[in-house]
Amino acid sequence: MSTTTTPEPVETQTETVHGTTLKSNSLGFIGIAFFVVAAAAPMAAFVGAGPVLFSIMGPGVPLVYVLVALVIALFAVGYLKMSRHIVHAGGFVAYIARGLGRHAATGAAGIVIVTYIALQVGFWAQFGVFAQQLAAGWLGLDLPVWVWALAFIVLTTALAMRGVDLNLRVLGLLLVAEIAVVAILVVGIMIGAAGNPPSLESFSPSQLANPGFGVAVLFVFACFTTFEATTVFSEEARNPRRTIPLALYSVVLFVAIFYTVATWAVSYAVGPDQVQQAAADDLAGLIFGLAATYVGPWLDVTMQVLVVSSFIAMLIGMQNMFARYGFALARAGVLPSPLSRVSRRSHAPYAAALANGVVVAVIVLAFLLAGADPIEVVYAWFVALGTVGFIVMMALASLAIVVFFLREKVERGFWTTKVAPAASLVLVVAVLVIALQNYDAMLFSEGATAKLLLWFIPIAFALGALLPTVKKDIDYESVVTAVA
C-alpha cells in the first residue's frame, strides 16, 4: 500500500503552474560544468578565433582573455549571491524579473530569444564549412555546406530531446579529447621552443594601447557567452546552493586558463614580434601548422577532426541550454504553453528543443540556399548580433542585481551585495559601448543589412516589455524558488 501511494504527493509537490517539471537532482557539478565548457567550444574557438585575434591584437591576446574573465568573475559575485534566492531555468530573465519586474523581464526574454537563436545560426553555418572541408579533404565527400549543417542540426536536436544523460556521455568524450589535444600542443611547444627567449610581453599593460584592443574584447567576450548556463540548469542541479557557484567559478576559471595558456603558447612559439603578421598571413592554418611542427602530422590531423567535433559539442550544449530557456519562458506564460512539455521518462524539455531545432534549421537553410556566404554573411552577421545581445542581457541582469540588493535586505556583505554588483554594472556597460563602437569589426563584409539586424534587440525588448500589458497571466514568481 505504501509503495503505491508514496509517489502521488511527490508529483503534486513538483508540479508547476503548467503541470511540467524538469528532472530535479539529476545534475551534479561535473555534469553542469561539462555542458557549459562544451558550449564554449574551447577547441573550435582556439583554432578558429585565435589566429583572428592575433591578427587584430598581436601578442596581447592572452591579456584580453584574462581581463574579460575578471569582468565576468566580478559580475558573478552578485549574480551568485542572488542565486541563493532563485532556482530557475530562466537564467538572466528570472533574475531580471526579481530585480526589475515582469515588464523588464519579458523584454529581456525577447532579447534572449534573439541572442541564442542568432548564435546558433551563426555557429551552424561555420560548422558546415569546417565539416565540408574535412569531409572533402579526407573522405572525398564534397557535399554542400547546408547538407552538413542540416544533418547535424537534426542529430543534436534529437539528443537535446532525449535528455541530459545521453548528452553528458557524448559531451564528456568530446570535451576530454579537446582538452587533451590542446594540452599536448602546449607541452610540445614548450619542449620544442625551449630555445626561444621567454617573454611576458603578452601580459604587458602596454598591450592595452593596441588599436585592436576594443575589437579583441568583443571577440573574446563571445567565447564566454555560455557561462549563464550554470544557472539555467539550476532546477536540475543537486544542492544548487553549492553546485551552481562551484560550477560557475570553475567554468570561468577553466575557460580563462585554457585560452590564456594556449594563446600564450602560440605567441611563444611564433615570437611576440612576429605572431600578428604570421596570423594575418595564415588565419586558417596557423594552429595546425604549429601542431605539425612541434608535435607531428598526427596532431594536425587530430585537431582538424576535433575542431568539427568541438562545434558539435558546443551546439549540443547550447541547444540543451536554450531548450530549458524556452521551457521556462513557456511555463511562465511568455511563449506558447505547449513548449513547456517535458518527456515523461527523462523530463527533458523535448517540445522546446524541437521548436528550437526547427527555427534554427529554417533560418540557416533560408540564408544558405539563397546563396549567402556561410562565413562572411551568416556566421559574421549572426554571431555579432548574438554577442551584442548577450552583453545587453548581462547589463540588464547587472542592473537587476543592484536593484535587488538595494531593495531586499536578505544578505549581508557590503562587497558582495553593493560594491561588486555596482562595479560590474559599470564594467558591463563599458563593454557594451566597446561592442557597439567596434561592431563593424565583427562583420567580414560591410553592409547596411548586417547593421540593421541590431534593431532586433531593442525591438524584441520593446515587444516583450509590452506583452504583460496584454497577457496578464505572465508569472515568473510562481516558479522562482527560494533556496532554503
Side-chain angles (χ1 to χ4, degrees):
M1 184 72 173
S2 61
T3 55
T4 58
T5 57
T6 299
E8 293 179 2
V10 174
E11 285 187 30
T12 302
Q13 288 169 2
T14 58
E15 189 177 18
T16 67
V17 289
H18 289 287
T20 57
T21 179
L22 297 173
K23 188 177 180 180
S24 60
N25 297 316
S26 61
L27 285 174
F29 153 66
I30 296 296
I32 294 173
F34 265 156
F35 268 112
V36 183
V37 174
M43 171 68 80
F46 171 54
V47 172
V52 175
L53 284 166
F54 278 117
S55 69
I56 294 170
M57 183 71 186
V61 172
L63 179 61
V64 181
Y65 277 108
V66 171
L67 293 176
V68 171
L70 289 175
V71 171
I72 292 174
L74 182 64
F75 169 82
V77 173
Y79 186 54
L80 290 175
K81 197 74 168 178
M82 191 170 172
S83 75
R84 294 158 64 92
H85 307 277
I86 298 176
V87 175
H88 195 293
F92 284 159
V93 173
Y95 288 72
I96 295 167
R98 286 293 295 272
L100 303 178
R102 285 194 316 153
H103 290 275
T106 312
I111 299 176
V112 163
I113 294 168
V114 170
T115 294
Y116 284 113
I117 287 179
L119 289 172
Q120 288 178 85
V121 168
F123 287 131
W124 273 121
Q126 190 180 34
F127 162 82
V129 172
F130 279 105
Q132 181 197 47
Q133 292 174 347
L134 183 67
W138 294 99
L139 302 177
L141 187 61
D142 192 8
L143 297 174
V145 170
W146 70 264
V147 173
W148 293 108
L150 179 61
F152 280 90
I153 289 174
V154 171
L155 173 63
T156 55
T157 299
L159 288 172
M161 293 172 68
R162 284 288 301 275
V164 298
D165 294 337
L166 177 61
N167 284 286
L168 277 176
R169 288 193 287 271
V170 175
L171 291 179
L173 290 172
L174 295 178
L175 188 58
V176 168
E178 290 180 45
I179 295 168
V181 163
V182 174
I184 291 170
L185 174 61
V186 171
V187 171
I189 288 174
M190 297 304 294
I191 295 173
N196 293 358
S199 173
L200 294 178
E201 184 177 342
S202 293
F203 303 100
S204 170
S206 63
Q207 294 295 333
L208 302 180
N210 190 302
F213 174 70
V215 183
V217 167
L218 184 56
F219 271 95
V220 168
F221 222 92
C223 297
F224 286 87
T225 53
T226 59
F227 80 88
E228 181 197 7
T230 51
T231 53
V232 171
F233 286 103
S234 62
E235 289 185 39
E236 297 158 273
R238 302 187 195 103
N239 189 8
R241 187 167 186 169
R242 177 180 180 274
T243 302
I244 299 306
L246 183 61
L248 178 54
Y249 277 122
S250 296
V251 166
V252 172
L253 183 62
F254 170 81
V255 171
I257 292 174
F258 179 92
Y259 289 124
T260 301
V261 172
T263 53
W264 178 84
V266 171
S267 179
Y268 176 62
V270 179
D273 297 334
Q274 303 173 30
V275 70
Q276 185 167 12
Q277 189 60 51
D281 292 342
D282 191 10
L283 286 174
L286 176 66
I287 307 296
F288 298 131
L290 291 175
T293 299
Y294 286 97
V295 179
W298 69 268
L299 187 65
D300 175 8
V301 175
T302 303
M303 290 185 74
Q304 291 186 48
V305 173
L306 286 177
V307 165
V308 175
S309 70
S310 179
F311 272 104
I312 296 172
M314 170 184 65
L315 288 156
I316 289 174
M318 192 171 289
Q319 281 184 305
N320 272 274
M321 177 181 69
F322 188 59
R324 281 152 180 80
Y325 240 133
F327 158 84
L329 294 177
R331 185 178 59 182
V334 177
L335 294 178
S337 60
L339 295 181
S340 65
R341 293 173 183 164
V342 300
S343 166
R344 288 182 179 273
R345 188 174 67 175
S346 66
H347 288 243
Y350 74 91
L354 177 60
N356 171 69
V358 171
V359 170
V360 170
V362 167
I363 297 173
V364 170
L365 288 178
F367 273 81
L368 294 182
L369 292 178
D373 186 279
I375 298 297
E376 294 190 2
V377 174
V378 186
Y379 167 76
W381 290 12
F382 283 93
V383 171
L385 174 64
T387 301
V388 173
F390 181 82
I391 297 170
V392 172
M393 288 196 310
M394 197 171 165
L396 287 170
S398 295
L399 178 60
I401 293 167
V402 171
V403 173
F404 175 80
F405 285 120
L406 286 175
R407 186 181 64 235
E408 307 284 343
K409 307 302 180 183
V410 293
E411 291 285 350
R412 296 180 180 179
F414 186 68
W415 161 254
T416 55
T417 65
K418 300 295 190 297
V419 178
S424 170
L425 175 60
V426 172
L427 289 175
V428 173
V429 170
V431 171
L432 178 59
V433 172
I434 290 172
L436 294 174
Q437 288 178 337
N438 293 276
Y439 190 72
D440 285 352
M442 290 284 284
L443 308 174
F444 294 105
S445 59
E446 288 290 337
T449 304
K451 295 175 184 176
L452 284 175
L453 289 179
L454 273 177
W455 282 102
F456 274 104
I457 295 173
I459 290 172
F461 181 84
L463 292 176
L466 289 172
L467 188 60
T469 304
V470 179
K471 206 168 185 294
K472 304 293 185 181
D473 63 340
I474 292 177
D475 185 6
Y476 300 97
E477 292 299 321
S478 64
V479 289
V480 175
T481 307
V483 183

